[in-house]
């Protein structure tokens, strides 16, 4: 299968062409996310899709008369951001039975709108973990083809899960015979479902290892897939050269997923010391959506979230934040994952301040959303930091995010693949 997302991310064409388009960014500072060092002042030279140089002064060999110069006084430049857990086709204002009325074509249109909002917030790459009808692949390809604006999308297609589990549709009686397209039971069935998703061009596989907050009739902490099923699924995914993310709130499900070899665990609510040690041993990444609890409990009832889900979130939210603090203190690999779609898309960056509030330094939070996420996707040589030779994904924010992480909520300029996608200075 020709995978446009990975092809676009993995190859940077030569910029030695005399007809290359040159862009020069001048700002107060640029952040080296690997070292935490601020380059002050900062000049970044971009040719076509690639970063050519990052320095304190404009290189002498740059023909500035043919270049477009953007002056960003008072701003800091950071790498384009990653959100490693979103649902672009999800509408935060539509929940419960009303969500069941949404068709795949309607959800795809919603996804196109949300993709634009996400890009405008500074997120140039996202991992979309779960979408019916492979709608997220359609959004991914439309963005790549230039038909709609949006971030670079790593799409999972339908999430895989057990009959009656978090990734199934459980709101109907048996008479309707409604089953989610990602349902698979048993080691060979899950292998088949992985192969089916790969056949249709996914970039990543997501499966549900435990119950969840937003599903009907599931216990949020209860393990669903057996270890044998998880092990078969992960083996199949890795044999196909992809990465795998496990939705897991409950302790046993978290541990089983890690032992099975998943690349990341999502949510990670009920965490104990053994699970932390397993994550450290296996190098597993945690993606913990610690902002969403505020939206669910504050706005969820008005948005139509069922009382069953609200009750589950009341039990899970504070525990998940305590688990986040423990994981950070222990040094577990962490990426930025917001679960966008449960709350309004475009508000992704609100999670930064919560990550700092519950244990991260400002730099750690930024690393989670940049170089750590790129590394999880095995694209650290091409994305995730401001370095010569990497794809030019660059975001400008007013002020210094190492002093005040909330400036990440007020992005001024967004560049993806060397192209200015958002420039909010023009609207002032």
């Amino acid at each position: 299968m020709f995978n446009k997302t990975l092809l676009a991310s993995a190859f940077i064409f030569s910029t030695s062409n005399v007809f290359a388009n040159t862009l020069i960014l001048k700002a107060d500072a640029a952040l080296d996310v690997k070292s935490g060092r601020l380059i002050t002042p900062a000049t970044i030279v971009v040719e076509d899709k690639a970063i050519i140089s990052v320095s304190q002064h404009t290189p002498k060999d740059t023909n500035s008369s043919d270049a477009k110069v953007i002056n960003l006084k008072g701003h800091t430049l950071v790498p384009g951001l990653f959100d490693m857990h979103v649902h672009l086709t999800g509408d935060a204002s539509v929940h419960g039975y009303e969500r069941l009325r949404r068709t795949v074509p309607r959800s795809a249109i919603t996804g196109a709108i949300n993709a634009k909002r996400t890009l405008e917030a500074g997120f140039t790459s996202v991992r979309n973990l779960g979408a019916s009808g492979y709608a997220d692949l359609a959004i991914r390809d439309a963005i790549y083809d230039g038909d709609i604006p949006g971030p670079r999308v790593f799409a999972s297609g339908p999430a895989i899960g057990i009959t009656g589990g978090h990734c199934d549709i459980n709101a109907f009686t048996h008479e309707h015979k409604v089953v989610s397209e990602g349902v698979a039971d048993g080691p060979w069935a899950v292998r088949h479902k992985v192969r089916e998703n790969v056949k249709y061009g996914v970039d990543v596989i997501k499966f549900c290892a435990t119950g969840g907050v937003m599903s009907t009739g599931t216990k949020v902490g209860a393990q669903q897939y057996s270890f044998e099923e998880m092990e078969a699924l992960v083996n199949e995914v890795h044999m196909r050269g992809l990465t795998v993310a496990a939705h897991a709130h409950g302790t046993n499900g978290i541990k089983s997923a890690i032992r099975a070899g998943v690349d990341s665990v999502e949510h990670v609510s009920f965490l104990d010391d053994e699970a932390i040690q397993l994550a450290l041993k296996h190098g597993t990444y945690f993606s913990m959506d610690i902002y969403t609890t505020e939206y669910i409990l504050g706005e969820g009832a008005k948005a139509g979230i069922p009382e069953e889900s609200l009750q589950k979130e009341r039990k899970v939210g504070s525990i998940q934040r305590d688990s986040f603090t423990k994981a950070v203190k222990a040094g577990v690999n962490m990426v930025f994952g917001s679960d966008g779609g449960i709350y309004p898309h475009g508000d992704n960056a609100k999670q930064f301040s919560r990550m700092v509030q519950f244990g991260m330094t400002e730099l750690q939070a930024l690393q989670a959303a940049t170089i750590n996420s790129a590394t999880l996707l095995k694209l650290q040589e091409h994305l995730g930091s401001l370095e010569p030779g990497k794809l030019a994904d660059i975001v400008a924010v007013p002020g210094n995010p190492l002093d005040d992480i909330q400036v990440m909520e007020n992005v001024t300029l967004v560049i993806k693949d060397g192209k200015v996608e958002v420039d909010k200075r023009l609207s002032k």
Side-chain angles (χ1 to χ4, degrees):
M1 178 67 185
F2 176 70
N3 191 310
K4 293 180 177 181
T5 300
L6 295 181
L7 182 68
S9 299
F11 296 99
I12 300 176
F13 299 103
S14 171
T15 56
S16 60
N17 191 317
V18 294
F19 299 107
N21 296 313
T22 302
L23 177 65
I24 300 175
L25 306 176
K26 295 177 175 290
D28 285 12
L31 177 61
D32 179 345
V33 292
K34 290 183 175 180
S35 68
R37 183 174 67 94
L38 282 175
I39 300 168
T40 55
T43 297
I44 297 181
V45 179
V46 174
E47 287 188 3
D48 289 335
K49 293 186 177 185
I51 296 172
I52 298 301
S53 66
V54 182
S55 60
Q56 290 182 304
H57 306 286
T58 305
K60 294 181 180 179
D61 58 354
T62 300
N63 187 355
S64 59
S65 63
D66 296 328
K68 178 180 179 180
V69 180
I70 299 179
N71 290 300
L72 293 157
K73 184 176 176 58
H75 286 74
T76 298
L77 302 174
V78 301
L81 305 171
F82 288 74
D83 191 333
M84 296 291 279
H85 191 131
V86 301
H87 301 279
L88 291 173
T89 55
D91 187 333
S93 66
V94 179
H95 289 282
Y97 283 101
E98 188 63 29
R99 177 163 286 187
L100 298 175
R101 294 165 55 86
R102 285 291 176 105
T103 63
V104 170
R106 179 66 179 89
S107 295
I109 293 170
T110 297
I113 296 168
N114 291 334
K116 181 175 184 290
R117 291 172 177 166
T118 301
L119 182 65
E120 290 171 346
F123 291 82
T124 57
S125 298
V126 299
R127 195 173 56 157
N128 197 85
L129 295 183
S132 298
Y134 298 93
D136 52 346
L137 277 70
I139 296 165
R140 175 196 71 189
D141 293 348
I143 292 169
Y144 176 83
D145 290 338
D147 296 331
I148 59 173
R152 187 180 295 101
V153 178
F154 298 89
S156 77
I160 300 173
I162 68 166
T163 297
H166 180 65
C167 288
D168 198 1
I169 298 173
N170 305 320
F172 297 94
T173 68
H174 68 282
E175 296 162 310
H176 296 281
K177 296 180 172 59
V178 177
V179 178
S180 172
E181 61 196 312
V183 165
D185 299 305
W188 281 108
V190 298
R191 282 185 183 271
H192 172 78
K193 189 58 65 174
V194 168
R195 293 169 185 176
E196 185 173 80
N197 278 5
V198 173
K199 173 183 178 179
Y200 295 120
V202 302
D203 307 297
V204 60
I205 295 292
K206 177 198 175 176
F207 75 92
C208 293
T210 76
V213 171
M214 303 302 290
S215 54
T216 301
T218 70
K219 295 180 180 179
V220 68
Q223 182 169 334
Q224 295 186 345
Y225 271 130
S226 68
F227 175 75
E228 289 75 17
E229 289 170 310
M230 294 187 203
E231 188 176 40
L233 186 151
V234 172
N235 176 264
E236 188 69 37
V237 175
H238 287 167
M239 188 166 62
R240 305 304 293 272
L242 300 182
T243 56
V244 56
H247 159 107
H249 285 282
T251 310
N252 290 335
I254 293 167
K255 293 176 186 177
S256 292
I258 295 172
R259 290 189 177 105
V262 299
D263 299 284
S264 70
V265 183
E266 313 300 307
H267 310 301
V268 205
S269 296
F270 299 101
L271 192 62
D272 66 10
D273 291 340
E274 183 185 16
I276 289 173
Q277 291 306 310
L278 282 170
L280 292 170
K281 176 183 176 181
H282 289 267
T284 312
Y285 285 79
F286 285 174
S287 170
M288 302 178 69
D289 51 325
I290 58 171
Y291 168 69
T292 54
T293 187
E294 295 173 40
Y295 181 83
I296 292 172
L297 297 182
E299 304 294 330
K302 289 185 290 184
I305 294 178
E307 180 59 28
E308 176 187 349
S309 293
L310 295 176
Q311 288 180 3
K312 285 194 266 188
E313 184 59 39
R314 292 183 190 109
K315 296 177 182 178
V316 169
S318 61
I319 295 173
Q320 185 194 37
R321 288 177 163 187
D322 290 341
S323 293
F324 178 87
T325 301
K326 293 176 183 177
V328 170
K329 287 182 178 179
V332 174
N333 292 328
M334 304 287 282
V335 294
F336 184 108
S338 70
D339 213 1
I342 302 299
Y343 69 86
H345 292 277
D347 286 349
N348 311 56
K350 288 184 177 181
Q351 177 156 292
F352 278 114
S353 63
R354 279 60 173 186
M355 295 168 84
V356 171
Q357 179 183 350
F358 291 99
M360 281 189 170
T361 65
E362 288 80 359
L363 177 61
Q364 286 175 319
L366 290 164
Q367 288 171 330
T370 54
I371 193 61
N372 292 6
S373 293
T375 301
L376 172 55
L377 291 170
K378 298 179 172 57
L379 292 171
Q380 68 271 23
E381 298 302 317
H382 308 289
L383 292 165
S385 59
L386 303 177
E387 297 180 81
K390 290 195 173 184
L391 283 169
D393 280 22
I394 306 168
V395 169
V397 294
N400 179 1
L402 297 182
D403 291 335
D404 179 8
I405 196 66
Q406 285 189 285
V407 303
M408 299 305 301
E409 299 174 24
N410 190 23
V411 166
T412 299
L413 183 79
V414 181
I415 295 171
K416 189 187 81 171
D417 282 340
K419 177 185 175 184
V420 177
E421 297 277 3
V422 178
D423 189 348
K424 296 181 182 177
R425 300 171 308 149
L426 301 178
S427 62
K428 294 181 178 180

